[in-house]
Amino acid sequence: MCWLAVEALLLGLFFYTGRALPLAAALALLLAVLGAIPCSLLVRKKLRAELELPVNLPKGKSGEGTITVENPTLFPVFCLTCRVRVENILNGDGETQSFRSFLLPRSTGHIPLTLGSDYCGRLRVTAEKIILSDCFGVIGIACPVTVKKSVTVHPDTFEQTIRMNYNLSSSMDSDQYSPYCPGPDLAETFQIREYAEGDSPRQIHWKLSGKFDRLIVRDPSLPVTRSVLVFWERTGQSGDRDRTDAQAEAVASVCRTLLQQDVAFTLGWNEEQGCILQNVADFDEFVGILPRMLGAAGRAEGVSGVRLLLQTGRFWSQSIFVGEDFTEEGLPGHVTWLTCGKQAPKDAVSFDAENYETQLAQLEI
């Protein structure tokens, strides 16, 4: 619009005064626009772009990234406009930013990018539209370059105590035992070690103790039928970003607390591809799984994650389900529901987006 206004003004001066200078200036402006078109057409197919972003970001804090654009041709880019979309896949929160730059022949440009989110989740950063134009931005030519990259905004966790009550009515005849942590089954030995204060006399291995002339104990094993599941139900979500954030932090805190108590577990959630189940034995494995879990967008309707889980035919003695709604699907074993936003039945624990750290500080499963 400014270019058109200047052109109109110069042409008006030419017709009013009859002098050649305004006409020459108007033609120069027109040639500057038309002359950039062949340059842009020659550059558009050879332009290369990439995103350089941090792998992780803390929630509520911004991070710095860079859009690197390379022009390998002998022609300049008078004006490069890049539109970047930053979207939190977990809750749908997003924004679009636009940047402008120019590139000399055979040069590389670096456009700084600031990104972050007040909510945890998986940020998908897309340089979805790059337009090459003249220095006035009058005629733009789209460049067939789309660059995508993701950043994980980790959830905060809070201090929590979880008391594990293994169901003693579970079958003790399982021939599969956890290789990660001990349990209550004295029929199978998890590990042999020296006696420590507080060990039960039932754990003392008298034969080995007599052989080594010191007290040796054996830790009992944990049958697989007494394993633990932590599942995030992503169906039945209202789309409330604060509730989604509270659920994510509840899941992360439960997982962290179980790992601190040396309890191996299975972490699961549902997404478009179906039901995802991952075994977690240490903190590194949990951190490695987080990016995919935080990219599981919630749905208001559809097949529930609980139903998908039942179709797998797998069984856990203790299960912790986190979601916005409560569902009764006849799940086997001892199930603890942590529901956010809706009134929970007597067997479930209800929490909200404001006080969840206090409400979930003590859990018994």
Side-chain angles (χ1 to χ4, degrees):
M1 295 299 294
C2 293
W3 178 84
L4 287 174
V6 173
E7 279 285 285
L9 178 61
L10 291 172
L11 290 175
L13 287 173
F14 168 70
F15 288 114
Y16 180 74
T17 63
R19 295 183 179 180
L21 183 59
L23 179 61
L27 290 175
L29 288 178
L30 181 61
L31 289 175
V33 172
L34 298 178
I37 295 176
C39 291
S40 298
L41 290 173
L42 291 169
V43 172
R44 66 183 295 270
K45 292 186 178 181
K46 296 185 178 181
L47 194 76
R48 293 190 289 266
E50 64 178 24
L51 283 167
E52 298 176 5
L53 304 174
V55 177
N56 302 305
L57 284 175
K59 191 176 77 170
K61 296 184 179 180
S62 60
E64 300 297 326
T66 305
I67 306 170
T68 302
V69 186
E70 182 183 356
N71 175 19
T73 70
L74 296 173
F75 304 94
V77 176
F78 298 99
C79 181
L80 182 146
T81 303
C82 181
R83 188 171 69 185
V84 178
R85 175 70 179 173
V86 181
E87 182 181 9
N88 191 325
I89 305 173
L90 188 67
N91 58 25
D93 185 31
E95 64 174 352
T96 301
Q97 306 176 34
S98 292
F99 304 91
R100 283 196 173 190
S101 183
F102 69 92
L103 286 175
L104 296 173
R106 295 188 180 278
S107 66
T108 301
H110 302 280
I111 304 173
L113 173 66
T114 301
L115 67 157
S117 178
D118 292 331
Y119 303 99
C120 64
R122 187 76 168 158
L123 297 185
R124 180 169 54 204
V125 183
T126 307
E128 58 185 9
K129 195 170 186 180
I130 296 179
I131 297 176
L132 309 180
S133 65
D134 54 90
C135 55
F136 302 102
V138 177
I139 299 177
I141 297 175
C143 187
V145 174
T146 300
V147 186
K148 294 182 180 180
K149 213 165 186 179
S150 297
V151 179
T152 302
V153 179
H154 281 263
D156 294 333
T157 56
F158 52 87
E159 292 298 322
Q160 190 179 49
T161 301
I162 296 179
R163 181 180 176 186
M164 305 287 296
N165 289 324
Y166 289 108
N167 184 7
L168 295 180
S169 64
S170 298
S171 172
M172 295 293 290
D173 298 328
S174 171
D175 57 357
Q176 297 182 9
Y177 296 87
S178 170
Y180 306 113
C181 60
D185 191 355
L186 290 168
E188 186 74 17
T189 300
F190 173 72
Q191 66 178 359
I192 300 293
R193 58 177 176 81
E194 291 191 9
Y195 176 85
E197 186 177 353
D199 287 335
S200 171
R202 296 177 60 196
Q203 295 179 242
I204 297 177
H205 197 300
W206 295 107
K207 187 175 182 179
L208 288 178
S209 297
K211 182 178 180 179
F212 292 100
D213 198 25
R214 62 180 184 274
L215 288 178
I216 302 295
V217 298
R218 58 178 184 173
D219 288 327
S221 289
L222 173 65
V224 172
T225 55
R226 296 187 177 189
S227 54
V228 178
L229 169 69
V230 180
F231 194 88
W232 190 5
E233 175 62 76
R234 302 299 290 131
T235 305
Q237 297 286 331
S238 66
D240 186 285
R241 293 167 185 168
D242 292 325
R243 289 182 181 179
T244 301
D245 202 59
Q247 292 173 61
E249 295 199 353
V251 172
S253 297
V254 168
C255 293
R256 190 197 69 165
T257 303
L258 291 176
L259 291 173
Q260 288 176 339
Q261 297 177 188
D262 295 324
V263 177
F265 58 90
T266 300
L267 177 60
W269 66 91
N270 60 300
E271 54 186 36
E272 290 184 1
Q273 289 76 15
C275 183
I276 309 300
L277 297 171
Q278 299 284 339
N279 294 325
V280 180
D282 55 48
F283 193 74
D284 289 338
E285 289 184 351
F286 173 63
V287 171
I289 295 169
L290 264 180
R292 183 171 181 181
M293 186 187 75
L294 294 176
R299 303 193 301 268
E301 298 178 349
V303 180
S304 69
V306 174
R307 184 168 298 178
L308 293 171
L309 183 63
L310 288 171
Q311 293 174 2
T312 66
R314 297 182 61 178
F315 169 74
W316 293 265
S317 180
Q318 270 73 26
S319 300
I320 304 174
F321 283 83
V322 180
E324 194 164 330
D325 200 3
F326 174 83
T327 180
E328 295 184 12
E329 295 280 355
L331 291 164
H334 184 271
V335 180
T336 302
W337 272 96
L338 310 181
T339 61
C340 178
K342 296 188 178 181
Q343 186 63 37
K346 63 179 181 178
D347 295 333
V349 178
S350 179
F351 65 98
D352 54 54
E354 290 78 27
N355 305 300
Y356 58 92
E357 296 182 5
T358 303
Q359 295 162 338
L360 301 178
Q362 302 284 336
L363 288 179
E364 183 172 338
I365 66 173

